[in-house]
Amino acid sequence: MKKFLALLLSGLMVLSLAACGGETATEDTSTEDTENTENTDTAESDLQYVQDKGTLVVGITYFEPMDYKAEGSDEWIGFDADMAKAFAESLGVDVEFQEITWDYKVEELDSKAIDCVWNGMTLGEDVMAAMGTSVPYCTNAQVLVVPADKAADFEGLTSLEGLNVAVESGSAGEDAAIALGATTVPVQSQANTLMEVSAGTSDAAVIDLLMAGAMIGEGTSYEDLTFTLNLNDAQGLPSEEYGVGFRKGSDLVDAFNEFWAEKVSDGTVLETATTYGVQDAVILD
């Protein structure tokens, strides 16, 4: 009997040791899994992400002279487009231009459908809160575009009440029009606002000054349109500034700022700006 009990106790001790050994192995495996998970969850840099996939995807809308296509061509050109090509080259990657709905630019960035927004984007408080933004690179203002034969009717306005005004949805122009009391007609792009006015379906449009200088008046597709009121002046606001938007916290912001300083210093920025007639707006400080 004593011999039996001894054998039984010995067996229980073996089982207990085996169980302890199993628990230790489980703990070690768990620790290893946690370390692997942490390594997997550690976010790579945005710069590295773009370089690994080999493409910088730039979110744009049709906006002459910043991002547009010459008649009969499929190539995106313009001040922003040309500088985006140079930036991508500096990163060692290709560039891809993706037309977006301006209202959803932040969502497009955060979902990684695009890697930056580079399209004459005004550095407003909402943009700067939602994105990582570059140094300002151009000045701008919002202007009222009207039929040339009715321009005299719009001189000296201090309010847009009673007017149906076409605006790009989610744009600084939309904000300015609303602030001055307009009934807004949101459309997908600034270029589409010009179609609204030209067709007579809206009384006026609010677009960027730089676009107005390139897309309306003599020698353009909209010779019957002109711009009158500067909405920044009407609201007592300073000129706007353009910037490039990246994902919040992205290290591409620093990469861009370094690139831009170099291209200002070597004259590339001014040369490209002169090509597209925006040399007076570009910031070279």
Side-chain angles (χ1 to χ4, degrees):
M1 184 67 175
K2 290 181 179 180
K3 183 177 181 180
F4 172 77
L5 288 173
L7 290 170
L8 180 61
L9 289 171
S10 176
L12 289 172
M13 288 178 67
V14 170
L15 288 173
S16 176
L17 289 171
C20 290
E23 288 173 5
T24 301
T26 300
E27 288 173 5
D28 290 343
T29 303
S30 176
T31 301
E32 184 177 336
D33 288 346
T34 299
E35 290 174 353
N36 288 339
T37 300
E38 288 175 352
N39 290 337
T40 301
D41 289 345
T42 300
E44 63 185 358
S45 81
D46 219 16
L47 171 58
Q48 191 64 54
Y49 164 73
V50 166
Q51 290 178 326
D52 285 347
K53 68 188 177 82
T55 307
L56 177 74
V57 183
V58 181
I60 60 171
T61 64
Y62 192 99
F63 177 1
E64 188 176 353
M66 311 309 274
D67 293 298
Y68 68 102
K69 294 179 180 179
E71 188 174 352
S73 173
D74 286 330
E75 181 187 3
W76 287 100
I77 59 173
F79 177 66
D80 282 356
D82 284 10
M83 293 308 302
K85 293 172 188 176
F87 180 51
E89 183 179 356
S90 76
L91 301 179
V93 301
D94 296 327
V95 68
E96 177 183 327
F97 295 100
Q98 179 66 49
E99 287 191 86
I100 61 173
T101 299
W102 198 245
D103 232 3
Y104 297 104
K105 54 188 176 292
V106 176
E107 289 82 357
E108 295 274 13
L109 265 181
D110 290 344
S111 69
K112 293 193 172 181
I114 59 175
D115 299 310
C116 65
V117 181
W118 197 338
N119 192 74
M121 181 177 68
T122 299
L123 292 174
E125 291 181 2
D126 55 342
V127 164
M128 297 179 75
M131 301 182 192
T133 53
S134 72
V135 293
Y137 67 88
C138 262
T139 59
N140 179 57
Q142 300 301 316
V143 294
L144 190 71
V145 175
V146 300
D149 60 357
K150 297 181 180 178
D153 298 338
F154 294 89
E155 290 180 2
L157 286 182
T158 57
S159 169
L160 301 182
E161 289 185 17
L163 295 177
N164 292 320
V165 179
V167 296
E168 180 181 46
S169 182
S171 68
E174 181 178 38
D175 294 340
I178 291 172
L180 290 173
T183 299
T184 56
V185 181
V187 295
Q188 189 170 351
S189 71
Q190 291 193 74
N192 288 350
T193 68
L194 302 180
M195 295 171 61
E196 286 277 327
V197 183
S198 185
T201 51
S202 292
D203 299 317
V206 175
I207 66 171
D208 288 16
L209 174 61
L210 292 184
M211 174 181 272
M215 291 190 68
I216 67 174
E218 186 177 353
T220 72
S221 299
Y222 294 99
E223 292 188 331
D224 59 334
L225 302 182
T226 189
F227 65 91
T228 55
L229 183 67
N230 181 317
L231 273 67
N232 291 69
D233 290 345
Q235 297 176 85
L237 299 175
S239 296
E240 299 169 1
E241 293 180 328
Y242 286 162
V244 182
F246 300 92
R247 281 178 277 279
K248 198 72 174 174
S250 173
D251 54 355
L252 282 170
V253 174
D254 288 338
F256 172 88
N257 289 342
E258 291 175 11
F259 157 82
W260 197 259
E262 290 174 3
K263 295 307 176 183
V264 168
S265 179
D266 70 16
T268 300
V269 169
L270 181 58
E271 181 181 351
T272 307
T274 303
T275 298
Y276 294 101
V278 298
Q279 64 273 16
D280 292 336
V282 73
I283 297 171
L284 300 172
D285 297 335

